[in-house]
Amino acid sequence: MMTAYDLPDLPRLPPLTPEEKAKIAAEALVASPRQAGPNTAQTPILVPVR
């Protein structure tokens, strides 16, 4: 779910055109699924120190 934020002093992005929306939707339909969960290759393992 996407959330819009109103940030002071920053311009708002222009709305997407129907062509841009269609392109994004088409790319989303062909994207390969990714495995759920953290990327363990980049996730540090925290070990408690006594």
Side-chain angles (χ1 to χ4, degrees):
M1 177 178 184
M2 296 194 60
T3 305
Y5 293 96
D6 286 326
L7 300 175
D9 302 324
L10 291 178
R12 296 184 71 84
L13 294 173
L16 294 175
T17 65
E19 293 82 15
E20 290 171 325
K21 289 180 184 179
K23 180 182 176 195
I24 292 170
E27 290 172 354
L29 293 176
V30 298
S32 60
R34 299 185 336 173
Q35 182 177 358
N39 181 350
T40 55
Q42 295 179 353
T43 304
I45 299 173
L46 302 177
V47 179
V49 179
R50 292 182 179 219

